[in-house]
Amino acid sequence: MLRPISEQETAENMRSTYPTGNVSVRMAEASFPAPFSPGLEFNSPAHGTWNIVHTGMLVPGAQQIYVCAYNCMRGVVLTAAEMNASDRFSFVILSERDLILENLEDVTIEGVTDVIRKLNRRPPAVFLFTVCVHHFAGCDLRRIYRTLETRFPDIVFVRCYMDPIMQKLSLTPDQKLRKAMYDPLPMTDADPMSVSLIGSDLVLDETSDLKRILRHCGRRIRETPSCRTWEEYLQLACGSLILTIWPSAHYGAGKLAERLARPYLYLPSSFGYDEIERELQQMAKVLGEPETGLDSAAEQNDCERALHAAHAVIGDTTIELDYTFHPRPLGLARLLLAHGFRVETVYLDAISREEEEDYHWLREHAPTLQLTATNHVRSRVIPRDGGDRVLAIGQKAAWFAGTRHFVNLVQGGGLWGYDGIRRLATLMTDAFLHEKDTADLIIRKGWGCESCI
């Protein structure tokens, strides 16, 4: 006879079935850079972060074609459908027969050819995603692309990969895409008055420190997410400086700058005044300017006032935050703890090497801070009963805490520098004062994209 299983029984069963590894660890005992043991993984229903489908859609007019089996195709098809971009998404399904009795190169070539000929429009570029099975089968990818480029000389074929089996040993699919999507940019003369900011999914805030410096220096900035046409996208090659702020774009941006023979800067968003100031000075130096145009002392004083004002409202409310909100979650925790906020939990699965200094600071100054895994199998049964007692920063933190008070941003949300800190303080205050429909918001894929959910 079937009967409902209680949450307590579920948790006990999970503990007995998967007894190895901790789902949570105190900062004082956390190892660097991997505080948790790898194993069976869980995926929470917080889906606001971007995936390779969302990112590929940033290239105007490009058609994405995935070549894989039904089981892997489901997620990427749904992503395209949920963001109302099904017309720019196509696929070739691989069957068991194709792998055993057919030539995988020919199946891929003819399948992609059939897709292109059936399109209602001729795309300027095709993002062709091959998958894990192409590696397993020893597929000749060069022959595939060479044949397609001969058949369709008017189309740029971009070499993309959906091969997560490789990400433990090599670059992740996300890193590979953020390199490949800039391969079509042509060799061209540099415009000395323009800078190309590439690799980000979201447009940088107009009030961000970087954009204020560029305006002060009379420079124009081009960003991938703001491109509306293929021709406009190709103009990214004109930047006299290649700039990125997103960690997973560091590799690809560096390769682009090397190919175009342009200066390159990686200026990751952070929450430390010293690092922000170093990066601003570095930017001004590369631009050949004697100063940034910003009064750093005044900027930092404004940050202090904003954080003080936020703390006056939020008080000792428990704060939990996660890595999907920003790639520097430990730096964010350090900033808030140093300003009197009660940060109790940081949700992450690994620690970026860029945060090693923050890791050591937290071990000394916040040894009881909890690091909690988001993808550990036992994360599924963590009690989610924070309610109004918890202010979350990030979607995963909101789901794990079970709160309706949270800052709903992903992947930095366009925040950068001193201005980013001030905006964060404002967003935290607003989240504390106003509830959100957590269950509805966090299931929408690709925060900032159009959603049909």
Side-chain angles (χ1 to χ4, degrees):
M1 179 178 178
L2 298 177
R3 66 178 180 82
I5 299 177
S6 69
E7 290 188 8
Q8 180 180 354
E9 289 176 301
T10 302
E12 290 174 353
N13 182 57
M14 293 285 284
R15 283 192 289 271
S16 62
T17 307
Y18 307 107
T20 59
N22 294 322
V23 69
S24 187
V25 62
R26 294 170 70 249
M27 194 70 223
E29 286 83 42
S31 57
F32 178 88
F36 306 107
S37 300
L40 189 64
E41 294 187 355
F42 160 71
N43 185 24
S44 78
H47 300 306
T49 51
W50 286 45
N51 62 35
I52 54 178
V53 177
H54 298 110
T55 301
M57 291 293 182
L58 290 175
V59 180
Q63 188 78 17
Q64 296 188 43
I65 302 179
Y66 284 70
V67 184
C68 66
Y70 276 115
N71 60 326
C72 296
M73 195 68 73
R74 179 179 179 273
V76 288
V77 167
L78 287 175
T79 296
E82 289 165 1
M83 64 183 299
N84 289 320
S86 295
D87 59 324
R88 295 181 55 202
F89 184 95
S90 305
F91 55 86
V92 177
I93 295 294
L94 297 177
S95 68
E96 186 174 359
R97 176 185 177 84
D98 295 327
L99 302 180
I100 298 175
L101 301 178
E102 302 293 341
N103 182 300
L104 188 54
E105 288 89 349
D106 290 338
V107 170
T108 302
I109 291 168
E110 298 308 322
V112 172
T113 296
D114 185 57
V115 166
I116 293 174
R117 287 175 175 166
K118 289 179 178 178
L119 292 174
N120 294 326
R121 60 179 179 83
R122 194 68 155 220
V126 165
F127 281 37
L128 176 54
F129 285 82
T130 53
V131 296
C132 306
V133 71
H134 288 86
H135 292 292
F136 291 145
C139 193
D140 187 349
L141 296 179
R142 292 183 180 180
R143 180 192 161 211
I144 291 174
Y145 284 103
R146 185 170 60 246
T147 303
L148 290 171
E149 288 165 346
T150 300
R151 288 186 182 180
F152 304 99
D154 57 323
I155 295 176
V156 176
F157 286 89
V158 181
R159 290 149 174 77
C160 304
Y161 305 90
M162 188 173 66
D163 56 351
I165 60 163
M166 306 294 289
Q167 66 185 23
K168 300 296 184 183
L169 302 174
S170 180
L171 300 170
T172 65
D174 182 51
Q175 288 175 302
K176 292 176 182 177
L177 176 61
R178 292 177 197 272
K179 186 267 181 188
M181 64 192 293
Y182 298 104
D183 287 344
L185 298 187
M187 296 296 296
T188 187
D189 293 334
D191 176 0
M193 302 310 292
S194 76
V195 171
S196 293
L197 174 60
I198 70 167
S200 299
D201 293 326
L202 304 167
V203 175
L204 200 60
D205 289 345
E206 288 299 317
T207 53
S208 70
D209 304 354
L210 289 180
K211 284 194 172 178
R212 286 187 290 158
I213 287 180
L214 290 171
R215 285 195 293 268
H216 170 75
C217 298
R219 301 302 203 278
R220 172 185 178 180
I221 185 170
R222 291 184 173 91
E223 299 179 78
T224 309
S226 63
C227 294
R228 295 293 174 262
T229 66
W230 174 250
E231 292 71 25
E232 192 174 340
Y233 184 77
L234 295 180
Q235 290 297 308
L236 289 168
C238 296
S240 60
L241 168 66
I242 303 299
L243 172 67
T244 192
I245 62 173
W246 189 243
S248 59
H250 186 12
Y251 167 77
K255 288 295 184 182
L256 174 64
E258 181 180 329
R259 179 169 66 84
L260 297 180
R262 306 285 161 76
Y264 167 60
L265 279 180
Y266 171 51
L267 304 179
S269 176
S270 70
F271 296 99
Y273 293 156
D274 290 343
E275 184 174 0
I276 292 172
E277 189 59 29
R278 283 197 306 270
E279 293 185 346
L280 293 175
Q281 295 296 334
Q282 188 178 6
M283 176 115 167
K285 181 178 180 180
V286 170
L287 293 174
E289 299 292 335
E291 57 182 26
T292 65
L294 302 180
D295 184 338
S296 297
E299 296 285 337
Q300 293 180 20
N301 287 336
D302 288 344
C303 289
E304 292 296 303
R305 282 192 288 269
L307 291 167
H308 177 77
H311 186 264
V313 175
I314 297 169
D316 64 351
T317 300
T318 297
I319 293 177
E320 300 185 3
L321 59 95
D322 73 69
Y323 76 95
T324 67
F325 171 80
H326 194 278
R328 295 283 190 89
L330 295 187
L332 173 55
R334 174 180 176 176
L335 172 76
L336 297 179
L337 286 165
H339 287 83
F341 292 91
R342 184 182 174 183
V343 182
E344 293 194 351
T345 305
V346 177
Y347 295 95
L348 50 73
D349 300 299
I351 302 173
S352 167
R353 294 195 178 276
E354 294 181 1
E355 293 212 277
E356 185 169 4
E357 182 182 336
D358 297 316
Y359 162 80
H360 289 295
W361 188 94
L362 290 170
R363 279 173 63 89
E364 179 181 352
H365 296 92
T368 61
L369 176 69
Q370 290 290 318
L371 300 185
T372 300
T374 71
N375 64 13
H376 193 288
V377 65
R378 284 188 288 167
S379 299
R380 188 172 74 85
V381 293
I382 294 175
R384 297 185 292 108
D385 54 3
D388 292 342
R389 295 177 288 106
V390 175
L391 170 63
I393 303 178
Q395 292 188 349
K396 283 186 183 286
W399 186 81
F400 280 112
T403 181
R404 296 170 66 90
H405 294 271
F406 74 103
V407 179
N408 186 31
L409 290 183
V410 300
Q411 296 172 213
L415 306 180
W416 200 95
Y418 298 126
D419 179 72
I421 292 174
R422 293 191 290 269
R423 276 205 58 213
L424 169 68
T426 300
L427 291 168
M428 289 174 58
T429 303
D430 181 76
F432 176 81
L433 296 174
H434 304 101
E435 290 186 348
K436 295 183 177 71
D437 188 344
T438 307
D440 175 66
L441 290 174
I442 68 171
I443 63 170
R444 300 171 183 264
K445 283 188 177 180
W447 181 90
C449 296
E450 181 179 352
S451 175
C452 66
I453 298 179

